[in-house]
Structure formats: C-alpha cells, structure tokens
Amino acid sequence: MADFTTFLHFPISRCGIHVHESCYGGLPVADPEETRWFCEPCQYGLIEPPHCEFCPSRFGAFKRADISGRWAHAVCSLYTHGVTWSQEHTTTGVSWENLENSVFGRRVCTACSDKIEARFGVASRCESGMCKEYMHVTCAQKLGLLVDETDESDDVIVAVPRYFFCKKHTNQENLKTFQRRFEQWEKAEGRRITVHRRKKALSGAEDALRIQMRETLEETIREEDRGKSNGSVAGGEKIKQARLLNSSTEFFDRFETKAEDSGLSKKEFRDPFYDIKLTNASHVPIGFSKEYIE
Ligand SMILES: [Zn+2]
Ligand SMILES: [Zn+2]
Ligand SMILES: [Zn+2]
Ligand SMILES: [Zn+2]
C-alpha cells in the first residue's frame, strides 16, 4: 500500500508538500548539492492547488500534464489505466491522449458523497473480475484500497501495475487505522495549503532555481513529444479534445464561481447537472452547447 507518511527521497517543496520518489518521479536538479526543491505546481508559482483532471480532490501532490495549464495528481496518473507520460521513467508530462473522451464523466464514483463530484474526471474500476464498482483513485486511496507492489528494497525500483479493489473485494488489512491516518493527513493538507498561501515572495536565488526547474520540465516534455509525434502535430501542440463540462473539476469550479458571483446560489447552479445522463454520452454532439467545454 502506498504509504503517505514516510517520504525520504526528496526534500520538502516550497509549498510544504512531501513526495515519495517512486510516486512523484521528477527530473534531476542540475546541481546535485542542491537541497531546495520545487514540486511542479510550485515551479509554476501556483498559490492555490491546481485541479486534477481525474478527480475532485485538491489535496496531495500534482504533476503537470503534457498540455500546458492542465494538472493531475501523481497518484491519479499512476492508477488510472491508459494514462501515459511524455517521459515515462520520470513520469513527466502526464498524458491522457490514449483515453477516449467519453471515459471522462462516464462512471459514477461510489465513494463520493456529492453526486456531481462523483462524475468529475475518471472513476476507475475495481480490479476484481466482473466487479462494477468505480471510484476516483483518490477516493479509493482515502479508503486505504490502493494496492502498490512496487519494490523499493533494491536500488532499482521495479514499477508494477497499480490497482485497487473495492471495499467488498479488498484484502487490505487495518483499513480503519489507515483511514484514521488519512484523515489526519487531510487536516495537515488543509493547514499546509493555508500556510503556503501566506508565504512571502521567493528570494532571487530561489526564484532562479524555480525557473530553471520549470524550464527543464518544459524542455523535457517538448523534446519527448517531438520525438513521438515525428512532426505530425504542427508545433508540437497537442489537439485539445472537447469534454463534458460537468466532468471537469476545474471548469465546473470556474463556472460555479462565476454563477455565484452573478447571484446564483450553489444549489441553483448545480441542480440542472443532476439530471444529465452520462452513462452513454457519446450521442451528445460535440459543439458549443452548455454541456461541452473545450
Ligand atoms: Zn509545491
Ligand atoms: Zn486526482
Ligand atoms: Zn470520488
Ligand atoms: Zn470490487
């Protein structure tokens, strides 16, 4: 099971997030003596945590997507089937280009209490045979259901497929203990984000390191994607796919804030979305309708 309490490989980022190397990956810093480190959202100077492409949670460690301005949890990208990376061995540039559009928002997360959030992103299926339980990766994580058999005892980390079983099919022990610890971690995350918001500006040297790390990240994504596309995509810019508005945590959040600013209550905004049938959204034509965003 992924243990989120012991993180030894990387120093702590500017925002106070701790990450584990096998979960976060990442690119080496130019100076091996360097002890400061920036997680990817910090490299971009984000104050608020980004939105994950796959789930509703704002807590935890995020990675940049191969498309600029888009983000995903490190854990969501590792556990969502079909996700790839611009550079696989460092899990740099999270990509969902191999995932069908219709996968987003299709399944309802059975662990989410909010019916709208339950359809954000991608709910993944329990690994047990014919089981029909779907959950967000972070929701399964919260319940202690993730299985990670990555062996780190040797120098070489052997990455194995990661998966989860639902509550009925899990054989994980001590779920209650895990859930209690996770709740504590969530509280700490809330505090970490508040503290990060109030931090003073970076020093010149810190900012130089931040920019250097970001440039390495962007260069890596660009180089790797150029190698793969063989020049078939002009300018290396990936084609954006249309997506159901209510399957995107970020866009839903933005529209909701906008609606609230213009005097609509949260309930008034959310109510129509409860009626949208998404079990097979493919019949909805992609276009400039209220259900679709780009
Ligand atoms: Zn950070
Ligand atoms: Zn996520
Ligand atoms: Zn969920
Ligand atoms: Zn199951």
Side-chain angles (χ1 to χ4, degrees):
M1 188 188 296
D3 185 350
F4 52 84
T5 56
T6 52
F7 304 98
L8 300 167
H9 290 80
F10 274 140
I12 301 165
S13 175
R14 163 87 181 161
C15 59
I17 194 99
H18 304 237
V19 299
H20 194 272
E21 192 176 12
S22 72
C23 304
Y24 199 78
L27 300 159
V29 180
D31 178 4
E33 303 285 293
E34 183 58 72
T35 53
R36 289 165 302 187
W37 179 77
F38 291 95
C39 79
E40 294 179 15
C42 282
Q43 290 172 27
Y44 282 83
L46 299 193
I47 304 299
E48 296 298 324
H51 291 86
C52 177
E53 205 66 28
F54 302 109
C55 79
S57 169
R58 304 289 296 277
F59 290 163
F62 284 84
K63 305 270 296 176
R64 211 204 97 156
D66 56 346
I67 303 165
S68 76
R70 310 286 280 274
W71 300 86
H73 284 113
V75 68
C76 285
S77 39
L78 288 170
Y79 279 82
T80 304
H81 292 313
V83 166
T84 54
W85 294 269
S86 299
Q87 189 179 66
E88 184 151 2
H89 70 279
T90 58
T91 62
T92 297
V94 179
S95 178
W96 46 90
E97 64 180 347
N98 292 338
L99 266 69
E100 292 288 335
N101 259 352
S102 56
V103 162
F104 290 85
R106 181 195 279 168
R107 303 291 179 184
V108 179
C109 170
T110 52
C112 265
S113 49
D114 185 291
K115 281 206 181 85
I116 292 174
E117 289 181 8
R119 280 193 150 137
F120 282 170
V122 177
S124 297
R125 195 174 68 82
C126 160
E127 199 68 15
S128 176
M130 302 295 280
C131 184
K132 293 272 195 293
E133 284 290 300
Y134 288 82
M135 270 181 229
H136 291 122
V137 169
T138 48
C139 292
Q141 179 188 37
K142 184 178 180 143
L143 295 169
L145 301 172
L146 298 187
V147 181
D148 180 2
E149 287 161 349
T150 304
D151 183 5
E152 284 185 88
S153 52
D154 294 323
D155 282 348
V156 182
I157 297 167
V158 185
V160 291
R162 293 169 163 99
Y163 53 89
F164 67 84
F165 290 115
C166 69
K167 275 190 244 176
K168 201 174 121 206
H169 292 117
T170 188
N171 52 13
Q172 303 273 38
E173 285 160 24
N174 308 318
L175 282 183
K176 282 276 169 297
T177 317
F178 185 93
Q179 286 161 17
R180 258 199 308 278
R181 271 163 47 207
F182 197 90
E183 276 165 28
Q184 284 164 9
W185 175 81
E186 280 188 319
K187 282 194 192 117
E189 273 293 276
R191 287 194 295 271
R192 177 185 70 79
I193 291 162
T194 311
V195 169
H196 180 50
R197 245 176 235 144
R198 294 175 187 154
K199 282 226 175 95
K200 59 180 191 324
L202 293 173
S203 72
E206 285 171 327
D207 208 40
L209 176 67
R210 174 181 78 83
I211 288 163
Q212 185 210 357
M213 288 185 74
R214 188 178 74 192
E215 279 169 357
T216 308
L217 173 69
E218 291 181 342
E219 185 63 24
T220 304
I221 293 173
R222 213 165 28 236
E223 284 296 309
E224 295 283 345
D225 287 355
R226 185 157 40 227
K228 277 173 207 150
S229 69
N230 287 325
S232 61
V233 180
E237 192 48 48
K238 298 215 168 147
I239 298 149
K240 285 184 184 152
Q241 299 181 326
R243 177 92 54 78
L244 283 161
L245 163 62
N246 54 321
S247 74
S248 164
T249 315
E250 178 181 4
F251 286 88
F252 195 86
D253 211 27
R254 269 205 231 163
F255 277 87
E256 189 168 63
T257 309
K258 223 177 220 175
E260 281 173 19
D261 287 347
S262 56
L264 215 62
S265 75
K266 200 179 184 114
K267 188 180 176 304
E268 282 168 323
F269 178 77
R270 289 200 169 201
D271 273 354
F273 288 98
Y274 286 114
D275 304 328
I276 298 176
K277 282 263 175 295
L278 285 175
T279 38
N280 182 6
S282 53
H283 66 280
V284 184
I286 291 172
F288 199 69
S289 66
K290 85 163 186 197
E291 282 112 343
Y292 274 97
I293 51 138
E294 224 200 321

